[in-house]
Amino acid sequence: NTDVAGAVWALGSQLGLRDGRWPGGGPAVLLGTGGVALAVAFAWSRLIIARRNQGLAAPALLVAGRDPGRAAAVAALAGPGAGAAPWSGAADLVAAADVVVQATTLTARGEPVPGQGRLRLGVRVLDCNYGPASQGLVAAARTAGAAAAADGLGMLCAQAAGAVVKIARVRPDLAAMAAAVGLTWPDPPGDHPDPI
């Protein structure tokens, strides 16, 4: 599937983590241990490698989940230094984080994530859910003065573009795909998600 390509694009392009100076000194936190969290963990490991190849720093990812074993399994895929954190501490992790990736079903149900009312100035937030009910975390991030905040719609478009490349072997018109779901594609022409 192309979930990893979608997550790589969202982290790099929407959150601005592909290159440049790493924001702040706080941790990077992933909430969740399901299939989307696995894709984000793989994407994070690719992001770490790409940044290190450029001589740039990036923190290890902390994965918070209700099942400690699953959180550890997801963290094992997230690159060097990644670790698991107990769900009971998720609110404090989110409040201290420079990067928060939300991959649970909480926001899809319109529920808040732990610590979302305490987000720090300059945080970068990706909520992998999208749609009207799932905007609480993104809205809270913008209110807190986030450097970047996005829901999962861009990730979805990047996943779809990667699928078109893999299946049809053509480069889709990303701006048109994004416009079809009401999203403005932020990158210049030619910046396509990696389909692998």
Side-chain angles (χ1 to χ4, degrees):
N1 69 44
T2 57
D3 290 3
V4 175
V8 166
W9 182 85
L11 291 169
S13 297
Q14 289 188 295
L15 296 193
L17 300 176
R18 181 181 4 217
D19 47 32
R21 187 173 159 272
W22 191 262
V29 176
L30 169 61
L31 301 175
T33 59
V36 174
L38 287 170
V40 170
F42 275 115
W44 192 266
S45 68
R46 292 172 90 179
L47 176 72
I48 294 287
I49 291 167
R51 289 185 62 86
R52 289 189 177 168
N53 286 343
Q54 298 175 64
L56 301 170
L61 189 66
L62 291 173
V63 179
R66 288 185 177 89
D67 181 324
R70 288 181 65 173
V74 172
L77 303 173
W87 188 255
S88 60
D92 290 336
L93 286 173
V94 167
D98 283 326
V99 177
V100 176
V101 181
Q102 199 296 118
T104 72
T105 59
L106 287 172
T107 58
R109 298 189 309 257
E111 298 175 24
V113 300
Q116 85 174 30
R118 297 168 37 210
L119 291 165
R120 64 194 287 181
L121 178 69
V123 68
R124 294 168 191 263
V125 172
L126 173 64
D127 189 335
C128 296
N129 295 312
Y130 56 91
S134 64
Q135 299 303 308
L137 177 60
V138 171
R142 290 181 178 148
T143 298
D151 70 7
L153 201 53
M155 184 174 160
L156 175 69
C157 286
Q159 290 169 272
V164 169
V165 172
K166 282 180 94 72
I167 294 167
R169 303 280 184 221
V170 296
R171 294 282 182 185
D173 181 342
L174 294 171
M177 289 177 71
V181 294
L183 179 70
T184 301
W185 199 255
D187 284 333
D191 185 17
H192 291 269
D194 178 358
I196 297 173

